[in-house]
Structure formats: structure tokens, C-alpha cells
């Protein structure tokens, strides 16, 4: 049995935002990215469809990790490949 593969791409803006995070939050994000390799739609862990202007954006999700939120897209590029593109990482307001 062949399992689907997950490819994670971190956009340059998100990469810089992750780099600028305090150590604890950076670790949270890195662990979350590893979790996305196992499950690109971790709805049970709190990921929700992204909404803008009251409308749900197809294949876009936000995941509040507690202190930091990541926004990403999921693209099924084939029957055995899912691509996750991390767009933005936002530190939650204190």
C-alpha cells in the first residue's frame, strides 16, 4: 500500500516571520510543521478553514497553536501528493 506524501513549502515571508519568533514560539511552529507532514488537515488539533469577509476561502486554513497562528493552503497535486504552502505566521496579541 502506497501512502500519500506531503510536501511542505514555507513562503519567504513566513520563513522570516518564523525566524523572528521567540525561541518557544519558533519551536511550536516547527513542531506543528512536522505534524502537518502526518496530517495536512489537523482539524482535530484546531485547524479551521480560513474565512475572509465572511466567505470561506477554498483550501485555506488557519491553525492557532497557542501564542502563534499559521495560515496555509493545501493543494492536492496528484492522487498521492499533497502540497502544504505556509503563507503567514502571526504572533497572537497579548
Amino acid at each position: 500500500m502506497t501512502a500519500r506524501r506531503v510536501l511542505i513549502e514555507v513562503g519567504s515571508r513566513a520563513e522570516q516571520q518564523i525566524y523572528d519568533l521567540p525561541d518557544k514560539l519558533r519551536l511550536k511552529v516547527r513542531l506543528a510543521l512536522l505534524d502537518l507532514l502526518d496530517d495536512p488537515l489537523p482539524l482535530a488539533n484546531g485547524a479551521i478553514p480560513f474565512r475572509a469577509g465572511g466567505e470561506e476561502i477554498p483550501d485555506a486554513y488557519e491553525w492557532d497553536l497557542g501564542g502563534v497562528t499559521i495560515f496555509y493552503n493545501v493543494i492536492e497535486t496528484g492522487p498521492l501528493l499533497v502540497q502544504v504552502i505556509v503563507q503567514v505566521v502571526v504572533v497572537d496579541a497579548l
Side-chain angles (χ1 to χ4, degrees):
M1 181 175 179
T2 304
R4 291 188 342 167
R5 296 188 185 267
V6 177
L7 170 69
I8 296 180
E9 178 183 335
V10 179
S12 59
R13 178 178 176 191
E15 186 175 348
Q16 183 62 46
Q17 291 167 328
I18 293 169
Y19 179 79
D20 292 340
L21 289 172
D23 290 342
K24 286 177 104 175
L25 293 179
R26 189 174 330 127
L27 179 62
K28 261 189 187 185
V29 171
R30 288 180 176 170
L31 291 174
L33 294 177
L34 289 174
D35 286 343
L36 288 176
L37 288 172
D38 292 330
D39 180 8
L41 295 174
L43 302 177
N45 293 336
I48 58 172
F50 179 70
R51 297 174 103 38
E55 298 289 323
E56 188 174 304
I57 307 299
D59 304 319
Y61 298 89
E62 60 181 285
W63 189 9
D64 182 352
L65 304 173
V68 65
T69 302
I70 61 173
F71 295 86
Y72 65 97
N73 298 84
V74 175
I75 302 167
E76 296 205 26
T77 55
L80 298 176
L81 181 63
V82 175
Q83 185 175 10
V84 174
I85 303 172
V86 178
Q87 303 286 352
V88 180
V89 176
V90 178
V91 175
D92 299 338
L94 301 175

